[in-house]
Amino acid sequence: LKEGEFMAIASRSTTPDLAMQAIEALGWKDYFSSFQIYPKSKSIHMNKIKDDLKFDKFEEVLFFDDEHPNIRVTSQMGVVAYEIECSTGLD
């Protein structure tokens, strides 16, 4: 990543402790600047990420998700959202 660019995790997980354990086990923790892992809506996740990372516009966010309702909600906020297939990911 370039300086001034950040990655965040937004997960509607009901087991945030297990999710963080997996992130740490994979060695990913140092690559992310915000962890929003709790059973809330993506709009709440995005607003918290915006607060954490102190950016001005949701148009600065690139978001990938495999659930169409999450794409719809975040797109309405101005997030640049892309729906991915569970079977292929970003291929």
Side-chain angles (χ1 to χ4, degrees):
L1 291 173
K2 295 178 183 175
E3 188 173 324
E5 294 180 356
F6 304 96
M7 291 196 310
I9 293 178
S11 176
R12 209 174 41 230
S13 176
T14 57
T15 56
D17 293 339
L18 289 175
M20 283 305 296
Q21 286 176 18
I23 290 164
E24 289 172 0
L26 292 167
W28 293 355
K29 190 170 181 186
D30 293 338
Y31 296 101
F32 293 89
S33 301
S34 181
F35 299 89
Q36 304 309 313
I37 305 172
Y38 41 82
K40 299 284 183 178
S41 72
K42 288 299 181 226
S43 61
I44 292 172
H45 288 143
M46 291 298 154
N47 279 306
K48 181 64 173 133
I49 290 168
K50 185 178 177 188
D51 290 345
D52 280 357
L53 302 182
K54 298 176 181 19
F55 58 85
D56 295 323
K57 300 178 282 184
F58 282 117
E59 290 82 4
E60 298 177 46
V61 175
L62 180 59
F63 174 66
F64 299 94
D65 201 290
D66 63 343
E67 294 182 20
H68 185 74
N70 294 335
I71 298 301
R72 187 179 62 249
V73 166
T74 56
S75 292
Q76 290 171 346
M77 297 173 76
V79 171
V80 179
Y82 291 94
E83 186 171 359
I84 61 169
E85 293 293 324
C86 288
S87 60
T88 58
L90 296 174
D91 70 3

